[in-house]
Amino acid sequence: MNKWFYFNFLLLIVAAWKISTNYAFPQLHIHILFGMVALILILFNWTRHAVFSTIRSSTTRSKKIKYANLSKRILPFHRWIGTTALLLIVIHATLVINQFGFDWKNMKIVSGLLTGSVLVGVGVVISGWMRRIKPSWRKRITHLRLGLMMFFLILLHIIL
Ligand code: HEM
Ligand code: HEM
């Protein structure tokens, strides 16, 4: 198994642990629910990287074929899962700002905005759509690097 399978799983566990030790638990606030569902969708898409790395590094042909077929079957959903995640994050951020107000000293807000802006602005989603419309090596690397950056920003956002 590629190390990214473990990293993705770890981020999910950290988020679940954070939420279960939250001040309000077991009552689940709607803004947290939106954040968590978006996280699951993002991790699902990011797992594509783990699958591709496994294909590249595996030695047996049958394993390569198995993963390639799996990856092909999921591809039609990839862009809609990513776009939905973006929508959920915008709702998550709107709910959070409505509830807590906007405070630059609040690290959760700052790290959230950073993560959100990678996903929104220059973002994974835009590079993804550009890549789909007209693929190029540069767009592939941009999409991949922004995805990687987003992974670590989300980790920061959740542990802070
Ligand atoms: C990809 C982007 C994002 C993901 C996956 C995400 C996910 C999450 C998750 C799972 C939580 C609950 C866990 C915890 O309390 O630590 C959370 C909390 C929070 N998020 Fe985000 N978030 C994102 C973007 C944002 C943005 C853009 C903002 C900016 C307004 C934001 C602000 C917050 C705040 C203030 C909390 C704490 C809420 C509380 O303690 O009740 N997040 N986020
Ligand atoms: C949460 C958001 C997203 C994440 C984390 C994500 C992540 C990834 C990853 C890891 C890959 C494989 C990278 C590689 O080439 O080695 C990939 C491929 C790709 N992504 Fe995304 N992506 C997201 C959203 C989107 C969106 C919204 C689109 C819109 C069309 C998109 C389009 C593509 C395309 C066209 C490919 C190449 C097709 C293929 O995998 O064979 N992505 N993405």
Side-chain angles (χ1 to χ4, degrees):
M1 281 262 241
N2 183 269
K3 59 179 183 295
W4 277 103
F5 284 115
Y6 298 111
F7 287 163
N8 293 351
F9 189 61
L10 208 68
L11 181 53
L12 202 61
I13 297 289
V14 170
W17 167 70
K18 263 306 242 224
I19 289 170
S20 63
T21 54
N22 191 283
Y23 54 90
F25 196 80
Q27 189 198 353
L28 210 50
H29 287 279
I30 189 86
H31 64 276
I32 303 264
L33 205 63
F34 274 101
M36 194 62 193
V37 174
L39 175 70
I40 292 169
L41 297 183
I42 291 168
L43 283 180
F44 183 83
N45 266 8
W46 184 240
T47 299
R48 206 166 176 81
H49 176 58
V51 173
F52 278 20
S53 302
T54 308
I55 294 175
R56 275 194 297 270
S57 62
S58 66
T59 44
T60 56
R61 198 178 134 77
S62 63
K63 206 169 168 189
K64 275 187 210 276
I65 291 173
K66 189 178 129 202
Y67 278 103
N69 280 336
L70 185 74
S71 165
K72 206 157 60 183
R73 238 179 295 143
I74 288 167
L75 185 61
F77 306 108
H78 180 84
R79 64 198 119 126
W80 300 118
I81 289 173
T83 311
T84 307
L86 172 62
L87 203 76
L88 296 182
I89 287 305
V90 172
I91 298 172
H92 168 74
T94 311
L95 288 172
V96 161
I97 291 170
N98 268 341
Q99 192 165 342
F100 301 99
F102 194 83
D103 177 10
W104 275 110
K105 286 190 275 320
N106 182 343
M107 282 316 283
K108 271 274 189 232
I109 301 242
V110 175
S111 65
L113 278 179
L114 271 173
T115 323
S117 54
V118 170
L119 190 70
V120 183
V122 257
V124 180
V125 172
I126 291 177
S127 60
W129 279 104
M130 284 169 68
R131 186 181 172 178
R132 179 170 159 83
I133 293 162
K134 192 168 183 293
S136 75
W137 179 82
R138 192 189 286 276
K139 283 176 200 157
R140 169 169 183 244
I141 296 301
T142 306
H143 192 59
L144 205 57
R145 292 227 176 107
L146 285 173
L148 187 68
M149 211 159 104
M150 191 169 66
F151 180 89
F152 287 107
L153 283 173
I154 292 175
L155 181 63
L156 206 70
H157 177 60
I158 285 168
I159 57 178
L160 278 179

